[in-house]
Amino acid sequence: MTEGHIHSARDRVLDLRRKIEDHDHSYYVLDRPTVSDAEYDGLMRELRTLEAAHPELADPSSPTMRVGGKPSSGFSKAVHRVPMLSLENAMDRDEFRAWHERVRRVLGTEAPESIAFHVEPKLDGISMSLLYENGVLVRAATRGDGETGEDVTANIRTIRSLPLRLHDDGSGIPPLLEVRGEVYVTKADFEAFNARLPEGEPPYANPRNFAGGSVRQLDSAVSAARPLRIALYAIPDGRALGVATQTDVLARLAAFGLPTASAWNRTCSDASACEARWDALDAGRDAMPFEIDGVVIKVDDLGLQEKLGFKSREPRWAIAWKFAAREAVTTLRDIIVNVGRTGVITPAAVLEPVNVGGVTVSNATLHNAEQVARLDLRPGDRVAVARAGDVIPQVVRVVEPGVPRSAPFTMPVVCPSCGTPVVRAEEEVAIRCPNRKCPEQLKAHLRHLAWKDNLDVDGLGDKLIAQLVDRGLVATIPDLFRLDETTLAELDRMGAKSAARIAGSIAAAKTRPLPRWISAFGIRHVGAVVAATIADHAPSLDAFRGLSREALLGMPDVGEIVADAVAGWLADPEHVAMLDALVAAGVAPEPPKRKTEGGPLKGMTAVVTGTLEGLDRRDAEQWLKDAGAKVAGSVSKATTFVLAGEKAGSKLDKARTLGVPVLDLETVRAWLSGGPKPFE
Ligand code: IVH
């Protein structure tokens, strides 16, 4: 026990859980971290240790239970207390206006002069019902058929922004509280995840699909590794809680510490304000962090809602006013096949260029042969192409078969690159080229390696990679690191200057941080996050090479799937030889920065704003983190200081209003190089 006044393990466990919950809330919901990562990790570690030593203190709502361990054996059914309904759709303005008229008509003389509405983004995710018993999350269920859903509690528990225990803002916690909302994934998280998927695993079509798949994982450790979020928007028994409007429902949800889409919700005083809000969200949807497919407009007054009631499966008091679909029709010119990093051969559509919701689309992935067969796509067909946000375009269906119709598509029986007969791994849809020396595989590997999030080899683009491989200058990955400037200068379209620059970026890649190297190896299931965890525990290439499956399993958030993938990769003699050759070629990854246990800024939260002379914002933030600070995106009372440069705006104003110290770069530099702390 670290604190003298805490006498029992039980007290300390309760104390730790409360502290961690508070920190989680500050970090995930308020975006205002209150402790350093190291401190947070320390609390978590202590809690895990105590819980392991005292199994009698186990509690399913403990923060340690978020990362599920044991796979469950399917989902049990969850009967909804109150059926989960769906919403009526309005496809255009006229339909919205007709709905509004109907609301007025049904309310008759009870309709106020102008009816106020609560206008919310229609999150494109998976609807979820959560039950809190005496403030503790006891059940999470999918919608299912509306009456009965699946019990996905273990998976939903892994959502970090979701409190396992409600906050009490003083108004009390009801003995039983059901709240509803949407589980979703941000566009950025979705794209990052798809970009790192092993080949052959078709990328998730859209964030909604991805969220759904992640919620329905039988192994909650898999869900835990997915960047799921949730936004709550309903309390079915709102009136019983004494809440009068949907606006207040959202306020109560937030007061319970539950995440909401508060930044995007509005109370609108009448129908024309709703229309203006719809216009604004329609125009701004690309810039929003998550996918929305429309706007949900709800009569704000819960009393009026009750009067309006339901018609069959839909409430009369709400409508989903959808955005126009982002679909276009074009001609499928050809179906080609690509060979990926691991030899997986995937079909792709070559399209007559077409504008889909403002973006010209001329290629679309087809994922695998089964998809082509399912859609029965053939060159010459007119096809519908859909695009969701920034997501890769999809061919969704044949609109009009070509005349005369081409023969059905078949996958090649030999690799289109090296001619090796293809193989199909058991239980996999994908077919692969088994030749590890296949030039297309090597090219794909090199592209992955050079990718900006991995080794970031500036200048090493697709064309150069193709030339290097096709000319036999690079036959294995280590060959890349043996290239010299002279060899590069002899290539097509390569001046002495570019050759020098590229040689420089290849040299620089040799000492990229270890997590980037681990991610660059392209091991199945190992993306940036897992790579960072591994590097923290095995802080050198040698340590990494020596990792056992058991050691991997001991790392936070590493489950059997990841551990098997990494251990299997490390055991492969070809990878052992490659690692030896890389080291011989001078590859020496920079070890991860030691977690700042006691940096000078430990326990402080800093915010960076404005333009800093000679230091880009990201570097400045890293610099502060290295000194032990937490860096937050917005100024609050929890901010210790603001580092402000030129042209600082609202954050500076906020800091001044709150009395948060504002420091310039020079002052912080002087402080961190041993000078006095510039504030109290
Ligand atoms: S209210 C009875 N609000 O849209 C009303 N639904 O098309 C229940 N959805 O099943 C839903 N954002 O999954 C509501 N702000 C929002 C929503 C929302 C997304 C989803 C929800 C629902 C579907 C209906």
Side-chain angles (χ1 to χ4, degrees):
M1 239 77 343
T2 55
E3 289 171 51
H5 63 278
I6 291 175
H7 304 298
S8 67
R10 185 167 183 282
D11 288 352
R12 181 63 183 157
V13 162
L14 296 182
D15 182 51
L16 284 166
R17 285 177 187 159
R18 212 201 56 247
K19 286 201 169 101
I20 294 170
E21 278 161 18
D22 287 350
H23 294 323
D24 279 347
H25 183 69
S26 313
Y27 189 95
Y28 291 104
V29 180
L30 306 178
D31 278 327
R32 289 171 195 162
T34 40
V35 283
S36 67
D37 289 344
E39 233 171 299
Y40 181 92
D41 292 346
L43 296 174
M44 207 57 164
R45 222 173 301 127
E46 188 184 345
L47 179 57
R48 278 211 187 89
T49 312
L50 278 173
E51 286 180 347
H54 299 273
E56 76 278 8
L57 298 178
D59 180 345
S61 73
S62 170
T64 54
M65 301 298 283
R66 282 197 194 266
V67 180
K70 293 171 206 73
S72 51
S73 54
F75 300 109
S76 45
K77 286 192 164 46
V79 178
H80 295 299
R81 298 168 52 252
V82 181
M84 286 182 84
L85 306 177
S86 60
L87 291 176
E88 182 184 341
N89 288 331
M91 301 315 289
D92 57 33
R93 203 169 296 267
D94 287 344
E95 290 186 9
F96 166 69
R97 290 180 179 171
W99 171 78
H100 178 244
E101 273 319 303
R102 200 175 66 228
V103 167
R104 292 210 76 91
R105 208 171 51 238
V106 175
L107 288 176
T109 54
E110 291 181 74
E113 181 91 22
S114 62
I115 304 171
F117 296 93
H118 196 257
V119 181
E120 306 166 8
K122 187 173 185 304
L123 286 115
D124 203 6
I126 300 299
S127 50
M128 194 61 56
S129 152
L130 306 178
L131 273 183
Y132 283 89
E133 240 171 56
N134 297 317
V136 175
L137 177 66
V138 293
R139 193 186 81 173
T142 59
R143 178 168 179 276
D145 62 4
E147 306 287 339
T148 308
E150 288 165 320
D151 185 327
V152 289
T153 314
N155 295 346
I156 295 305
R157 270 181 202 292
T158 67
I159 302 178
R160 306 297 309 225
S161 57
L162 183 67
L164 302 177
R165 186 184 293 275
L166 295 176
H167 294 215
D168 187 354
D169 67 342
S171 7
I173 299 282
L176 185 68
L177 178 73
E178 179 178 3
V179 295
R180 290 178 181 175
E182 202 85 353
V183 172
Y184 68 99
V185 175
T186 65
K187 295 178 199 170
D189 285 343
F190 170 74
E191 270 156 37
F193 195 92
N194 253 354
R196 291 167 188 287
L197 272 182
E199 278 174 307
E201 248 170 67
Y204 289 88
N206 53 53
R208 179 171 194 280
N209 255 298
F210 178 53
S214 304
V215 162
R216 283 196 207 85
Q217 290 294 328
L218 286 178
D219 178 354
S220 57
V222 176
S223 300
R226 303 290 176 83
L228 290 174
R229 297 177 195 239
I230 188 167
L232 285 312
Y233 47 65
I235 305 179
D237 312 307
R239 290 204 85 192
L241 274 188
V243 176
T245 61
Q246 173 67 6
T247 306
D248 292 343
V249 165
L250 267 297
R252 274 317 283 282
L253 289 168
F256 285 132
L258 295 164
T260 63
S262 59
W264 312 94
N265 292 334
R266 294 286 184 280
T267 310
C268 291
S269 56
D270 58 17
S272 69
C274 294
E275 291 188 25
R277 184 64 188 154
W278 186 92
D279 291 337
L281 287 174
D282 184 39
R285 67 191 278 206
D286 277 341
M288 288 176 68
F290 43 79
E291 286 292 344
I292 63 174
D293 59 344
V295 173
V296 180
I297 300 173
K298 303 174 180 171
V299 171
D300 199 36
D301 187 311
L302 302 190
L304 294 182
Q305 284 190 7
E306 209 163 84
K307 291 199 177 92
L308 285 161
F310 301 85
K311 64 162 197 203
S312 65
R313 313 284 306 149
E314 294 158 355
R316 282 199 196 85
W317 44 263
I319 190 144
W321 181 1
K322 304 280 280 261
F323 296 138
R326 291 172 165 178
E327 226 181 74
V329 172
T330 189
T331 303
L332 176 64
R333 280 186 179 161
D334 199 4
I335 298 174
I336 57 168
V337 290
N338 295 317
V339 185
R341 182 153 49 89
T342 54
V344 171
I345 298 175
T346 45
V350 181
L351 303 163
E352 191 93 42
V354 62
N355 186 308
V356 187
V359 172
T360 303
V361 172
S362 49
N363 295 292
T365 160
L366 296 171
H367 307 322
N368 54 46
E370 280 178 16
Q371 167 141 355
V372 182
R374 187 162 41 76
L375 299 172
D376 191 20
L377 298 178
R378 309 192 195 182
D381 291 351
R382 298 281 291 164
V383 293
V385 180
R387 186 177 72 82
D390 311 323
V391 177
I392 312 164
Q394 309 276 321
V395 175
V396 285
R397 66 184 168 277
V398 172
V399 175
E400 203 187 309
V403 189
R405 198 127 199 249
S406 345
F409 169 78
T410 50
M411 287 295 264
V413 290
V414 298
C415 171
S417 169
C418 65
T420 309
V422 302
V423 294
R424 179 192 296 267
E426 248 176 274
E427 293 165 42
E428 276 188 23
V429 263
I431 61 165
R432 292 179 43 244
C433 163
N435 173 15
R436 291 224 199 175
K437 302 215 155 56
C438 171
E440 280 310 308
Q441 284 182 44
L442 178 60
K443 287 178 199 169
H445 255 303
L446 291 167
R447 288 195 293 268
H448 177 74
L449 204 83
W451 183 37
K452 66 172 172 34
D453 285 8
N454 286 333
L455 301 184
D456 191 16
V457 192
D458 192 28
L460 187 62
D462 297 3
K463 293 220 174 79
L464 179 56
I465 287 173
Q467 227 192 122
L468 290 169
V469 173
D470 293 343
R471 290 190 176 209
L473 292 169
V474 172
T476 66
I477 287 170
D479 289 346
L480 178 71
F481 298 93
R482 296 189 202 108
L483 285 175
D484 56 24
E485 211 177 305
T486 332
T487 316
L488 285 165
E490 283 162 10
L491 295 169
D492 300 341
R493 292 182 305 270
M494 180 74 71
K497 255 201 188 149
S498 330
R501 185 172 61 94
I502 292 164
S505 35
I506 293 175
K510 293 182 182 176
T511 54
R512 287 273 185 264
L514 183 61
R516 282 172 172 253
W517 265 99
I518 294 177
S519 162
F521 292 144
I523 306 167
R524 263 189 110 140
H525 307 294
V526 179
V529 177
V530 175
T533 304
I534 295 176
D536 273 346
H537 290 76
S540 68
L541 199 53
D542 274 337
F544 169 67
R545 299 181 65 172
L547 282 174
S548 64
R549 186 173 178 279
E550 289 63 40
L552 286 155
L553 281 172
M555 298 178 190
D557 295 349
V558 172
E560 310 231 322
I561 294 172
V562 171
D564 285 342
V566 177
W569 191 90
L570 287 169
D572 185 326
E574 294 211 19
H575 296 143
V576 173
M578 178 183 81
L579 290 170
D580 286 339
L582 284 173
V583 171
V587 167
E590 181 192 313
K593 296 241 164 52
R594 277 185 35 77
K595 279 257 165 69
T596 32
E597 295 288 338
L601 303 186
K602 179 175 155 76
M604 300 187 191
T605 301
V607 171
V608 180
T609 182
T611 332
L612 299 165
E613 171 115 38
L615 197 60
D616 100 9
R617 155 89 166 268
R618 284 229 308 267
D619 291 340
E621 294 186 345
Q622 192 55 51
W623 175 54
L624 296 175
K625 282 185 191 158
D626 291 347
K630 270 223 130 164
V631 174
S634 60
V635 178
S636 74
K637 273 188 273 182
T639 310
T640 318
F641 68 89
V642 171
L643 167 56
E646 293 293 309
K647 297 202 203 94
S650 61
K651 289 183 191 170
L652 183 58
D653 298 340
K654 182 94 181 273
R656 294 208 167 115
T657 319
L658 292 173
V660 172
V662 176
L663 311 178
D664 62 16
L665 186 57
E666 223 164 302
T667 310
V668 177
R669 277 213 174 106
W671 175 25
L672 293 187
S673 39
K677 187 175 169 193
F679 57 88
E680 241 349 282

